[in-house]
Amino acid sequence: MTISDDQLKELELLATKIRLDTLKSIQHMGQGHLGGSFSIVELLAVLYGKQMKINPKNPNWPDRDWLVLSKGHAGAGLYSALANVGYFDKDWLFTINEGGTRLPSHPDRLQTPGVDVTTGSLGQGTSMAAGIATGLKLANKTNDVYLIVGDGELNEGQCWEAFQYIAHAKLHHCIVIIDDNKKQLDGPTAEIMNPFDLQKKMQAFGFHTLKVKGAEIKAIDAAINDCKSIENKAVCIILDSIKGQGVPYFETLEENHSVKFNNDRVNQAAEQAVQELEAKIVQGV
């Protein structure tokens, strides 16, 4: 179903709120994985604002769609999305990684309402998503499983083993989304371990594969709709995103994988970004 102008405006507003709350929570924490959280903000807005079957009042609803954030270090972004759609109070966002928190630095399904799978050890989320999708298929369930995996994470061989299985089993209801933000902990992915053409690689593995800009909500939504129309083949979306997406300062910051708010320059840039994002929310984006 094509996205309407009203829906687009709502999703843009949701994305702005997620980005703002992610920034504020990480700055409050003092440091955190801002770059990889920002690069999936628009995706999270589309998933939680339109595409996923969810019930924030009943997080374990049996008919819900599942999200596996394999790149668990982007937990701050996921938490902001969950808070903005009503899984828990936004005050929780200022407790990330503190003692006694319900929001650990990486998602934990036993701690946080709305988190379906505990992740953070990179590569393992791909296998877990494959297993969940298989279980749902065997139970004749119609739930979709959304797997978000990082481009740097694809250095893990386990990802490719899981992809081969997903394609072989034709788990079309497991929608693989690769966040291709082109940077990882140690630097550009092309320099650390060149991924070459991810779209061609996934196609070679047997996936129906689309590539979309990670900041374009309409394109993301259309790609998900296209994937949902495929019934006899595994599906994948390559998210052509930018580390630190949505805030120019953080897009160009060299050390934007995990940002440390330990100097005036970074804090001033963050405060300016907060003001600009808050203004967009007031204006309705």
Side-chain angles (χ1 to χ4, degrees), residues 33-40 71 73-74 179 181 243-244 256-257:
H33 290 94
L34 183 145
S37 292
F38 272 17
S39 61
I40 59 170
K71 44 174 282 179
H73 52 282
D179 180 26
N181 63 32
K243 205 93 167 182
N256 63 1
H257 179 81

Side-chain angles (χ1 to χ4, degrees), residues 128-141 145 165 171 173:
M128 289 189 282
I132 294 165
T134 299
L136 292 169
K137 181 178 181 179
L138 292 173
N140 294 314
K141 301 281 286 183
V145 180
Y165 168 75
L171 300 178
H173 59 299

Side-chain angles (χ1 to χ4, degrees), residues 260-274:
K260 293 179 174 60
F261 293 86
N262 58 0
N263 63 69
D264 291 341
R265 176 174 52 85
V266 175
N267 280 300
Q268 287 172 2
E271 292 302 328
Q272 181 179 344
V274 165

Side-chain angles (χ1 to χ4, degrees), residues 153-218:
E153 183 179 1
L154 296 184
N155 292 355
E156 298 284 353
Q158 182 173 357
C159 295
W160 298 100
E161 294 178 33
F163 291 159
Q164 187 170 359
Y165 168 75
I166 291 170
H168 170 77
K170 298 180 179 179
L171 300 178
H172 60 88
H173 59 299
C174 181
I175 300 176
V176 176
I177 304 171
I178 298 175
D179 180 26
D180 183 19
N181 63 32
K182 302 158 198 69
K183 289 183 72 175
Q184 58 193 94
L185 174 63
D186 298 326
T189 53
E191 296 178 9
I192 305 302
M193 185 76 73
N194 196 333
F196 297 99
D197 191 323
L198 288 173
Q199 186 172 10
K200 289 182 179 178
K201 287 174 78 169
M202 294 304 288
Q203 288 171 342
F205 262 69
F207 282 75
H208 170 75
T209 309
L210 302 171
K211 185 174 183 178
V212 298
K213 291 292 184 182
E216 295 181 4
I217 286 175
K218 289 184 72 171

Side-chain angles (χ1 to χ4, degrees), residues 212-245:
V212 298
K213 291 292 184 182
E216 295 181 4
I217 286 175
K218 289 184 72 171
I220 295 170
D221 182 67
I224 293 173
N225 286 337
D226 183 271
C227 286
K228 285 183 173 181
S229 72
I230 304 297
E231 296 183 352
N232 62 350
K233 196 173 187 178
V235 296
C236 174
I237 298 170
I238 310 294
L239 204 65
D240 182 10
S241 64
I242 301 171
K243 205 93 167 182
Q245 187 169 280

